[in-house]
């Protein structure tokens, strides 16, 4: 990995209030927060590990396990739900062998469900590796994902 | 606009006069009659491909040669509200409104509209009822029925350019407050305006400020709640993306009024563009001396920091939000003490919603009397709603408080596709409730929505038709809240799952009439016992749907039927042999091999194999799949 964890740690002053900032930057850089990274963050901010662990598990955007190469987020907000996004998420997960949101064993895909992306006018919405897919359907999304899988 | 002095060359502004002088120069440098192509780069239009349109327009302008006056007169803005019609392109000054524009349309726009002043017919909006072609924004009913205050600059200004914001009047309200008013006068003006918080509860903003201000000369904070957790709401996102200076300005005013030198914006991480635009706005405001030490020579110091949310709905609750800013687990804490006494880092703090802060800027700019003249007696001003769901014109709309629900949905929203009425409108997000068609004439303001068993909330307005199941909707909201409960207090931790389980049984056609009675007592207990409003309002989804749609609940339980055709366990898929062309698409899509049939002949579905995944329906282009 060419991202230097020490460089991230040094971005913020060593105060407890920067714990979440640090964890966010580490999550963004490495796709997850490793036990080693958590220890470094705690040393820097002076937060006990138990508390950092509580923070890491409380917030939905942190993961203590590595995430997949490709990230698919399906919106389950109200507007998307009414337009069938629940089924779309289920169908996608079934097609790549996931029973619930999470990461496939081969680390190819992570499927997450999110609550409203603020693009409700385009419902149902999914985001594949950062790209919004407006008015998505199961066939469209599954096609897109299987293409990524074969790359 | 690009022809004006670059902001990098501008020194810090030392006084109100210098600000106004700069504003004058910037305004004078722009010819109001100059042709300008405005492309919407809000999230919706970007997702629909507007960056490609912008590129194509630039290329078409360049290809057309030097003699085009407008080069490089292209401006990209925030969301114009009419996202379902995007990508949107507006040609100014005439205000010609083009919708669903594709990159391939760029050449025609340049050749016909820019060079000859003619409209491109096919890109104009057609009135869905009358079929008339409408050329300008003002003619379109979606815009004509609105009153834009908070959104006044969005779609007009380039949100990444502080000079453009200054031309539109940005920081005039803050400058007035800081240089010509005492802090107490600012609090009084906001109180007299009648502004109530736009984050949901509708607490009077000026009163809240007064409580924090009275603590005198101690460290204090102002915070902006940009967590926007309500699914189905995106007005805060659009304000931050499209007019970030309105939020910054409001916070400067609030900081001055209560005596805080630091502000925090707590933005949800799902909004990267909002964060980017806010960061640019803060940097530009700092460069001009509108943030930092001794702002405009007033002696007031103030700066703002951004915190990104980390994905927890409950962090929108004020006490939880403050703990999250402190770097902790975002669990609510009991009140009192209220944040105005003991908030962030234990210091007096004021938290307001994004839209509330944007309103503050307008109030100081135009005077509280003007604001107090808008809206109803107890709900002043306008409200921005995210109108989504089964409605023709999906998007963001801003209307005066007190307007009838019918006007919003049927007139501005253009009605419900294929129907002359809505079945229900859900307002207030997970804390709110559903209003039936019988309430179409209800005035939309804080108090009448609560009286009708719903809530204003942050302004999500989700329109539902006969294909939406009320039991499913209630189940959905409870599932959301169960997942998002922080679990700190037991009525919410234990009660919400119990409510949901009951609804899950209902959705399977199980349950009895007594179960409905039990729901009421459980709902009461959760309402009374919960620590924060997440639990306190969680039963609203069930109670309001039961209040207006009890027959639908009974159909599920007593007749084992989902009238809307939504609840999986109570529906079957079949193929209409008349409509089926035998195209084989559903056959290929079905993961269960439940579809059979020869090409070009009507297909059939084997009910016993069908798992009701809906794949066949999604792949059928002929609408031949039916659900009963
Ligand atoms: C569970 C929960 C979630 C909330 N989420 C938000 C939110 O996303 N945005 C918001 O402005 N207010 C939210 N609120 C309301 C805030 O607690 C607070 O009342 C509001 O931000 C105050 O600002 P206002 O007076 O300007 O409305 C939430 C409240 C609760 C109980
Ligand atoms: S009501 Fe729910 S979310 Fe609020 S404090 Fe209690 S458990 Fe947490
Ligand atoms: S997709 Fe539709 S039209 Fe085609 S075979 Fe299936 S039901 Fe018939
Ligand atoms: S509900 Fe899915 S984007 Fe808002
Ligand atoms: S994003 Fe363009 S109109 Fe909303």
């Amino acid at each position: 990995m060419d991202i230097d964890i020490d460089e991230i740690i040094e971005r913020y002053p060593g105060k407890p209030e920067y714990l979440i900032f640090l964890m966010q930057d580490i999550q963004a850089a490495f796709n997850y927060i490793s036990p080693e990274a958590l220890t470094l963050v705690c040393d820097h901010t002076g937060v006990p590990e138990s508390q950092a662990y509580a923070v890491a598990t409380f917030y939905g955007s942190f993961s203590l396990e590595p995430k997949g190469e490709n990230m698919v987020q399906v919106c389950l907000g109200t507007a998307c739900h009414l337009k069938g996004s629940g089924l779309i998420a289920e169908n996608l997960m079934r097609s790549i062998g996931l029973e619930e949101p999470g990461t496939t064993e081969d680390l190819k895909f992570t499927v997450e469900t999110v609550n409203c992306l603020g693009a409700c006018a385009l419902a149902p919405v999914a985001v594949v590796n950062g790209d919004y897919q407006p008015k998505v359907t199961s066939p469209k999304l599954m096609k897109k994902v299987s293409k990524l899988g074969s790359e | 606009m690009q022809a004006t002095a670059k902001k990098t060359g501008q020194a810090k502004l030392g006084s109100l006069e210098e600000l106004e002088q700069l504003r004058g120069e910037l305004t004078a440098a722009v010819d109001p009659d100059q042709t300008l192509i405005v492309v919407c780069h809000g999230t919706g239009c970007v997702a629909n491909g507007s960056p490609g349109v912008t590129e194509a327009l630039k290329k078409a302008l360049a290809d057309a040669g030097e003699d085009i006056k407008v080069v490089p007169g292209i401006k990209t803005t925030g969301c114009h509200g009419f996202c379902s019609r995007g990508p949107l392109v507006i040609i100014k000054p005439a205000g010609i409104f083009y919708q669903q524009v594709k990159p391939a349309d760029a050449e025609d726009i340049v050749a016909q509209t820019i060079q000859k002043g003619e409209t491109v017919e096919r890109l104009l909006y057609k009135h869905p009822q009358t079929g008339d072609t409408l050329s300008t924004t003002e003619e379109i009913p979606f815009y004509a029925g609105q009153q834009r205050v908070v959104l006044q600059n969005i779609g007009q200004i380039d949100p990444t350019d502080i000079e453009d914001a200054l031309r539109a009047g940005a920081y005039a309200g803050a400058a007035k407050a800081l240089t010509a008013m005492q802090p107490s006068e600012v609090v009084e003006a906001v109180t007299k305006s009648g502004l109530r918080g736009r984050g949901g509860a509708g607490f009077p903003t000026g009163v809240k400020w007064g409580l924090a201000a009275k603590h005198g000369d101690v460290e204090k904070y102002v915070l902006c709640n940009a967590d926007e957790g309500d699914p189905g709401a995106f007005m805060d996102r659009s304000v931050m993306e499209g007019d970030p200076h309105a939020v910054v300005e409001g916070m400067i005013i609030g900081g001055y009024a209560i005596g805080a030198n630091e502000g925090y914006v707590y933005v949800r991480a799902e909004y990267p563009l909002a964060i980017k635009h806010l960061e640019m706005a803060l940097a530009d405001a700092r460069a001009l001396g509108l943030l930092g030490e001794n702002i405009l020579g007033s002696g007031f110091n103030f700066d703002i920091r951004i915190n990104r949310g980390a994905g927890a709905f409950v962090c929108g609750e004020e006490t939880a939000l403050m703990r999250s800013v402190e770097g902790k687990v975002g669990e609510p804490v009991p009140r009192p003490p209220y944040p105005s006494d003991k908030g962030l880092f234990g210091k007096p703090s004021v938290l307001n919603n994004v839209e509330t802060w944007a309103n503050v800027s307008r109030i100081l700019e135009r005077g509280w009397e003007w604001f107090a003249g808008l809206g109803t007696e107890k709900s002043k001003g306008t409200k921005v709603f995210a109108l989504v769901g089964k409605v023709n014109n999906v998007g963001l709309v801003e209307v005066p408080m007190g307007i009838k629900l019918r006007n919003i949905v049927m007139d501005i929203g253009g009605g419900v596709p294929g129907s002359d009425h809505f079945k229900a409108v859900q307002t207030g997000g997970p804390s709110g409730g559903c209003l039936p068609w019988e309430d179409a004439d209800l005035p939309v303001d804080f108090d009448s929505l609560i009286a009708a068993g719903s809530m204003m909330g942050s302004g999500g307005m989700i329109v539902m038709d006969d294909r939406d199941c009320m039991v499913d909707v209630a189940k959905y909201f409870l599932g959301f809240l169960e997942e998002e409960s922080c679990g700190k207090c037991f009525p919410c931790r234990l009660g919400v799952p119990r409510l949901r389980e009951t609804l899950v049984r209902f959705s399977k056609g199980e349950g009895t009439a007594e179960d409905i009675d039990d729901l009421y007592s459980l709902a009461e207990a959760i309402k009374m016992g919960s620590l924060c409003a997440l639990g306190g309002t969680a039963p609203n989804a069930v109670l309001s749907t039961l209040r207006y749609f009890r027959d639908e609940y009974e159909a599920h339980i007593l007749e084992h039927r989902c009238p809307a055709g939504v609840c999986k366990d109570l529906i079957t898929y079949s193929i209409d042999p008349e409509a089926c062309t035998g195209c084989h698409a559903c056959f290929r899509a079905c993961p269960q091999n439940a579809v059979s049939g020869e090409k070009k002949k009507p297909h059939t579905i084997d009910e016993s194999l069908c798992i009701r995944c809906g794949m066949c329906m999604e792949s059928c282009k002929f609408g031949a799949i039916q659900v009963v």
Side-chain angles (χ1 to χ4, degrees):
Chain A
M1 206 111 353
D2 45 11
I3 320 152
D4 185 11
I5 182 117
D6 294 322
E7 187 270 316
I8 297 179
I9 302 274
E10 291 309 321
R11 282 180 199 168
Y12 302 97
K15 287 192 192 165
E17 66 202 79
Y18 292 100
L19 175 73
I20 293 177
F21 283 78
L22 275 166
M23 290 178 35
Q24 283 170 327
D25 286 10
I26 291 171
Q27 175 79 46
F30 299 99
N31 246 340
Y32 82 113
I33 301 171
S34 66
E36 299 79 38
L38 201 67
T39 310
L40 285 174
V41 169
C42 289
D43 288 347
H44 184 68
T45 55
V47 173
E49 287 210 17
S50 59
Q51 195 188 321
Y53 186 77
V55 168
T57 49
F58 179 82
Y59 294 100
S61 64
F62 298 132
S63 165
L64 297 170
E65 311 269 308
K67 287 197 185 175
E69 274 163 58
N70 297 292
M71 170 62 84
V72 185
Q73 293 163 309
V74 185
C75 178
L76 295 191
T78 324
C80 290
H81 170 81
L82 289 183
K83 302 219 163 149
S85 65
L87 280 179
I88 294 173
E90 277 175 34
N91 290 337
L92 172 69
M93 290 189 287
R94 193 180 48 243
S95 75
I96 58 173
L98 281 175
E99 274 174 27
E100 48 183 62
T103 304
T104 53
E105 264 175 36
D106 59 2
L107 293 183
K108 272 258 179 218
F109 297 103
T110 295
V111 176
E112 280 181 358
T113 54
V114 293
N115 296 318
C116 193
L117 294 155
C120 322
L122 314 175
V125 181
V127 179
V128 180
N129 293 335
D131 287 336
Y132 280 74
Q133 312 288 319
K135 302 224 155 80
V136 78
T137 62
S138 303
K140 268 201 256 175
L141 188 60
M142 283 158 58
K143 205 163 149 199
K144 177 126 197 144
V145 165
S146 74
K147 232 171 143 186
L148 285 173
S150 56
E151 266 169 17
Chain B
M1 61 178 209
Q2 276 83 351
T4 59
K6 271 290 154 227
K7 50 190 163 260
T8 42
Q10 176 65 47
K12 285 198 181 187
L13 301 163
S15 66
L16 175 68
E17 290 71 32
E18 283 179 36
L19 171 66
E20 291 315 322
Q21 192 190 342
L22 172 64
R23 199 192 305 283
E25 285 167 11
L26 291 171
T27 310
V30 172
D31 173 4
D33 297 327
Q34 188 200 23
T35 310
L36 188 64
I37 306 178
V38 177
V39 187
C40 178
H41 273 215
T43 302
C45 285
V46 167
N48 271 328
S50 64
V53 174
T54 307
E55 283 314 305
L57 282 165
K58 282 189 182 153
K59 181 165 182 299
L61 283 173
D63 290 351
E66 305 271 314
D67 56 338
I68 311 253
K69 279 204 312 269
V70 298
V71 175
I74 292 191
K75 171 146 71 171
T76 56
T77 69
C79 170
H80 295 230
F82 211 173
C83 316
S84 55
R85 289 274 147 193
L88 302 182
V89 174
I90 320 283
I91 314 293
K92 298 201 172 195
I96 297 164
F97 180 90
Y98 289 143
Q99 40 117 48
Q100 298 182 324
V101 180
K102 294 186 196 60
D105 298 318
E107 273 178 42
D108 285 351
I109 293 178
V110 171
Q112 292 182 39
T113 312
I114 307 298
Q115 294 188 309
K116 294 200 210 123
E118 293 164 5
T119 54
V120 183
E121 278 291 306
R122 66 170 190 281
L123 300 175
L124 294 174
Y125 179 77
K126 277 169 208 65
H127 194 292
Q129 273 93 40
T130 64
D132 294 344
T133 317
L134 309 173
S135 337
T136 64
T137 316
E138 290 86 65
E139 294 170 74
I140 296 171
F142 177 77
Y143 290 106
Q146 297 193 43
Q147 183 171 10
R148 290 162 89 89
V149 171
V150 171
L151 305 181
Q152 67 183 23
N153 297 335
I154 305 184
Q156 310 294 326
I157 62 164
D158 175 347
T160 63
D161 180 0
I162 193 171
E163 296 186 347
D164 213 23
L166 287 173
R167 249 176 246 124
Y171 298 101
K176 192 201 283 180
L178 265 51
T179 59
M181 294 167 85
Q182 292 300 318
S184 61
E185 290 174 321
V186 178
V187 174
E188 194 183 311
V190 173
T191 308
K192 281 191 178 153
S193 75
L195 174 65
R196 294 169 67 175
R198 300 303 197 235
F203 192 82
T205 305
V207 173
K208 196 193 279 190
W209 291 14
L211 293 171
K214 75 173 193 311
H215 285 280
D217 197 13
V218 294
E219 210 170 2
K220 295 173 199 165
Y221 301 101
V222 291
L223 298 99
C224 173
N225 192 341
D227 197 44
E228 192 150 70
D230 274 15
F234 54 105
M235 60 286 296
D236 293 348
R237 169 175 203 154
S238 294
V239 171
M240 288 184 284
E241 286 180 0
D243 193 6
H245 292 287
V247 183
V248 174
E249 180 181 358
M251 291 180 73
I252 297 172
I253 296 167
Y256 178 72
I258 72 157
N261 303 114
E262 280 178 64
Y264 290 79
V265 187
Y266 190 88
V267 196
R268 63 192 303 225
E270 287 88 342
Y271 289 179
L273 192 62
I275 295 173
K276 185 171 151 206
H277 285 183
L278 272 173
E279 276 170 350
M280 293 172 89
L282 292 177
D284 289 346
R286 258 178 230 130
L288 283 183
L290 294 163
L291 282 176
E293 306 273 302
N294 191 16
I295 299 173
L296 296 178
S298 64
F300 176 59
N301 308 329
F302 186 75
D303 212 333
I304 296 176
R305 189 176 100 173
I306 297 174
N307 283 67
R308 277 174 296 152
F313 173 70
V314 76
C315 285
E317 197 277 339
E318 57 181 1
T319 59
L321 185 146
M322 290 179 193
R323 294 187 46 124
S324 185
V325 171
E326 292 168 3
K328 298 180 186 150
V329 167
E331 278 172 355
V333 289
R335 304 172 309 170
Y338 288 97
S340 52
D341 296 324
K342 236 172 160 272
L344 186 64
F345 301 116
K347 303 289 189 311
S349 306
V350 159
L351 170 75
N352 280 121
N353 163 266
V354 171
E355 197 183 326
T356 313
W357 287 121
N359 268 301
V360 165
S361 303
R362 310 285 181 253
I363 291 169
L364 270 287
E365 185 188 348
R366 299 198 207 166
W368 66 264
E369 294 89 346
W370 157 79
F371 192 83
L374 301 173
T376 68
E377 199 199 328
K378 291 203 172 120
S379 299
K380 296 297 184 193
T382 57
K383 178 76 192 95
V384 186
F385 290 100
L387 192 60
V388 301
K390 307 294 174 62
V391 59
N392 281 314
N393 302 338
V394 175
L396 272 195
V397 304
E398 182 171 359
V399 290
M401 294 264 197
I403 185 176
K404 286 178 185 164
L405 194 55
R406 179 195 302 276
N407 295 127
I408 300 179
V409 180
M410 306 309 283
D411 303 339
I412 299 173
V416 179
S419 176
D420 60 356
H421 70 287
F422 54 79
K423 174 175 173 178
V425 176
Q426 206 279 343
T427 70
S431 313
C434 289
L435 303 166
W437 174 245
E438 290 69 45
D439 276 344
D441 288 318
L442 192 78
V444 177
D445 61 51
F446 287 109
D447 309 301
S448 38
L449 287 185
I450 287 182
S454 188
M455 240 181 100
M456 179 81 83
S458 56
M461 206 171 247
I462 296 142
V463 183
M464 301 179 194
D465 70 5
D466 293 333
R467 302 300 290 173
D468 296 313
C469 168
M470 293 299 135
V471 177
D472 178 72
V473 167
K475 189 177 89 179
Y476 165 78
F477 280 112
L478 286 166
F480 175 88
L481 293 169
E482 177 179 342
E483 207 166 283
E484 296 294 344
S485 164
C486 77
K488 189 173 178 183
C489 66
F490 75 84
C492 173
R493 183 176 70 236
L494 304 177
V496 174
R498 239 1 55 75
L499 275 182
R500 191 184 62 87
E501 282 159 19
T502 311
L503 290 182
V504 169
R505 281 195 288 120
F506 287 3
S507 72
K508 292 183 173 162
E510 297 160 11
T512 61
E514 282 98 77
D515 286 332
I516 297 187
D517 297 330
D518 289 346
L519 272 183
Y520 279 104
S521 47
L522 182 56
E524 248 351 272
I526 298 173
K527 273 188 166 186
M528 276 172 31
S530 290
L531 177 60
C532 84
L534 187 153
T537 56
N540 283 0
V542 194
L543 295 178
S544 76
T545 44
L546 261 175
R547 171 164 165 186
Y548 297 116
F549 302 96
R550 193 179 171 115
D551 54 337
E552 211 166 312
Y553 277 81
E554 287 167 352
H556 283 74
I557 309 173
L558 307 176
E559 298 162 37
H560 314 293
R561 185 168 72 77
C562 175
V566 171
C567 293
K568 254 187 160 183
D569 294 290
L570 304 179
I571 56 173
T572 50
Y573 282 81
S574 61
I575 295 176
D576 173 6
E578 301 283 303
C580 177
T581 63
C583 73
H584 229 44
C586 56
F587 175 88
R588 283 192 300 270
C590 178
Q592 295 299 106
N593 297 326
V595 182
S596 52
E598 281 171 52
K599 278 204 166 169
K600 301 204 173 125
K601 292 207 178 122
H603 287 34
T604 52
I605 295 176
D606 182 344
E607 218 189 286
S608 65
L609 294 175
C610 172
I611 53 166
R612 301 174 191 91
C613 70
M615 290 282 290
C616 55
M617 195 154 171
E618 283 187 295
S619 44
C620 179
K621 290 193 183 71
F622 305 95
I625 315 264
Q626 299 169 317
V627 172
V628 217

